[in-house]
Amino acid sequence: GYTEKERGTKECYVTNPSKREYYSLSWDEIKDATDDDEFLVKLRKDLMDNNTAAIEGHLKGKSIHCPTSSNGLAAIKVEDLSLHHNVVMVRDRIWAPDSITLNVFNNLHLVHRGIDMMKRLAQRSVYWTGMVRDITGYFNECPTCNRQMDKNKKPEDLPEDKTKMSYECISMDGLVTDA
């Protein structure tokens, strides 16, 4: 569900222009979270051992955002993977361990940008299985985002009078200025 990250004892907080704090994750923290994620530990070990068959087994059914494909997704391939600071990367994106996805969401969610912006930002920097579904779920549970979304909806069309002849009904908008 929707909850903001607790400040706790973390020291790496940053304040954005709206005065809302967010936590910036370090490579070491992402690596530590990867060490606690059973799937990513196995995938990382197989990458280090260059065990292509095992890697292909891990990737079965996994896909990633791809703007050039017809459905917007492409299967993740062995050549898409690499390690950086002992963190699994998919293309140029961090494969986020489950334990940090809420932290990532909270950072994407600053100032209630909207779901499309959050998805675009996420697709540039991170990956996890079910990411778009999770972001959509978090967004739908945020009361502020829902209020913003309601405010930004297109207003209903005004009713129009039905006429039979040209110029049968003429209307004009009035405008008052201080000039």
Side-chain angles (χ1 to χ4, degrees):
Y2 174 77
T3 55
E4 291 190 13
K5 185 174 173 358
E6 294 291 324
R7 185 175 188 140
T9 59
K10 304 294 185 183
E11 298 174 10
C12 197
Y13 273 85
V14 179
T15 303
N16 66 345
S18 69
K19 308 291 188 240
R20 186 159 167 212
E21 291 183 334
Y22 65 98
Y23 183 68
S24 176
L25 291 165
S26 70
W27 283 106
D28 286 336
E29 289 169 310
I30 298 168
K31 182 209 153 301
D32 290 345
T34 299
D35 292 344
D36 296 334
D37 188 298
E38 187 178 328
F39 173 80
L40 289 176
V41 166
K42 289 177 186 174
L43 181 59
R44 181 176 60 193
K45 181 183 180 323
D46 290 333
L47 278 167
M48 292 170 136
D49 295 342
N50 203 21
N51 187 343
T52 305
I55 296 169
E56 287 171 346
H58 296 309
L59 298 178
K60 202 167 274 194
K62 306 249 186 260
S63 58
I64 192 166
H65 171 73
C66 179
T68 57
S69 73
S70 61
N71 68 353
L73 296 172
I76 299 174
K77 301 178 202 132
V78 174
E79 56 268 19
D80 293 333
L81 301 178
S82 62
L83 293 174
H84 182 73
H85 292 276
N86 234 1
V87 172
V88 178
M89 304 290 289
V90 183
R91 297 184 183 159
D92 57 348
R93 296 161 52 178
I94 296 167
W95 194 318
D98 289 340
S99 62
I100 67 166
T101 58
L102 183 59
N103 298 23
V104 171
F105 170 75
N106 284 334
N107 289 343
L108 292 170
H109 188 237
L110 292 172
V111 298
H112 307 280
R113 296 180 171 127
I115 194 162
D116 291 332
M117 178 60 83
M118 290 189 314
K119 286 177 186 176
R120 281 196 304 266
L121 289 170
Q123 290 168 345
R124 289 192 308 207
S125 58
V126 295
Y127 169 84
W128 70 82
T129 304
M131 182 175 75
V132 171
R133 179 193 65 236
D134 291 348
I135 290 172
T136 302
Y138 288 132
F139 176 83
N140 289 336
E141 291 179 21
C142 173
T144 304
C145 287
N146 284 299
R147 276 193 306 277
Q148 285 295 109
M149 190 169 58
D150 288 340
K151 276 200 285 187
N152 293 329
K153 284 185 180 171
K154 182 181 172 192
E156 292 182 29
D157 290 333
L158 295 172
E160 293 185 20
D161 293 333
K162 301 291 182 207
T163 60
K164 293 183 174 104
M165 296 174 42
S166 298
Y167 303 104
E168 183 178 336
C169 179
I170 300 174
S171 65
M172 179 172 45
D173 293 331
L175 180 64
V176 177
T177 66
D178 293 332

